[in-house]
Amino acid sequence: MADKAKQDNGIVETIKTIVYALLIAGVFRTLFFQPFWIPSGSMKDTLLIGDFLFVNKMTYGYSYASCPSIRIQRLGINIDAKDICGWLDGDNSRIMGSEPERGDVVVFRHPVSGQDYIKRLIGLPGDKIQIKDSLPYINGVPVKQMPDGVFEEISEPQGPERRFPGCENGPVGEGGICVKSRKIETLPNGKSYGVLNIGETSGDNRGVYTVPQGHYFFMGDNRDNSTDSRVSQNRYGVGFVPYENLIGRADRIMFSSAGRSMFFFWTWRGDRFFKAIE
């Protein structure tokens, strides 16, 4: 009997330990840092498919979007952030909130689908944004761009969706060299970063967007391969993003793998470990 009691106590203590660990991890993920893995090429070459980073949630304060969404399709688990922190939703405000800066790379909750997106903040509340010949204009003034050579990559299936990259040098066969023009873009506050272009697309010329108060305008650095605020808000288009939908700022890449799994050590990109995000 004594042995069985000890065994039962051991099981109970093990369960307690697991529960406490999950609670601590949940609190840490909600309040401080959220892991984020880059699944698409919309932020090349600032962020590559397979980059793994932590999002700093303390930067902008907290809202309902700060709570994690837990989605495990194989197990049928679909717990949305609103299910956990819905009591914070509704007034487009934040607790201990601070304003993001133009040029920040931000993870935010899509206003319709609830999925996490990562893009660069281009337009602040009240700004008038227009795109002419792929060049952003902010309040009527063109953003500075300087040619910076080309970005090259191998044309091959990438990421979990196994899509081929778009190329400026036309369709190239699998294994060929895919080329995109690269420019250094500098925002009015002096923030500089690289942007890529593959030629004329529907997103290169857009009318004037007036960013509403309490909202933000985002674009991907891979300009011709990014669904962002240039597309009207629907399940896929981002549109203007409310302040409360911001999750946090991406500051540093912790790990990167070019393969389909981070466990394929031969595909690790050692030069991107702990790399600062510009």
Side-chain angles (χ1 to χ4, degrees), residues 130-276:
Q130 187 174 13
I131 315 299
K132 298 180 182 179
D133 297 325
S134 78
L135 181 65
Y137 284 66
I138 301 177
N139 298 319
V141 180
V143 171
K144 295 179 182 178
Q145 284 188 348
M146 293 292 292
D148 190 48
V150 297
F151 171 78
E152 296 183 351
E153 60 184 335
I154 298 174
S155 180
E156 60 185 359
Q158 298 178 347
E161 297 178 355
R162 312 304 293 160
R163 292 184 179 181
F164 284 83
C167 311
E168 187 174 17
N169 55 331
V172 297
E174 184 170 357
I177 301 300
C178 178
V179 176
K180 298 178 180 65
S181 296
R182 188 177 193 272
K183 295 181 180 180
I184 298 297
E185 187 168 278
T186 302
L187 295 173
N189 62 352
K191 179 74 173 182
S192 295
Y193 46 89
V195 295
L196 304 182
N197 193 285
I198 63 172
E200 186 175 347
T201 66
S202 60
D204 289 342
N205 289 279
R206 296 283 182 167
V208 178
Y209 302 87
T210 300
V211 185
Q213 291 301 315
H215 292 71
Y216 298 90
F217 187 96
F218 289 91
M219 295 178 69
D221 290 349
N222 190 4
R223 292 289 161 79
D224 295 331
N225 188 32
S226 174
T227 301
D228 47 41
S229 292
R230 290 172 290 177
V231 180
S232 299
Q233 194 173 102
N234 54 43
R235 185 164 180 80
Y236 303 102
V238 173
F240 303 121
V241 178
Y243 180 45
E244 66 178 352
N245 281 47
L246 307 185
I247 294 174
R249 187 181 66 202
D251 293 328
R252 189 172 296 275
I253 299 165
M254 304 304 295
F255 173 86
S256 184
S257 173
R260 298 184 64 178
S261 170
M262 67 175 61
F263 298 108
F264 296 171
F265 65 87
W266 57 91
T267 66
W268 292 355
R269 304 183 184 106
D271 61 330
R272 298 184 68 80
F273 287 18
F274 310 110
K275 181 181 179 179

Side-chain angles (χ1 to χ4, degrees), residues 59-62 93-99 243:
T59 308
Y60 309 133
Y62 305 95
S93 64
R94 308 182 71 86
I95 297 172
M96 297 186 291
S98 60
E99 298 292 330
Y243 180 45

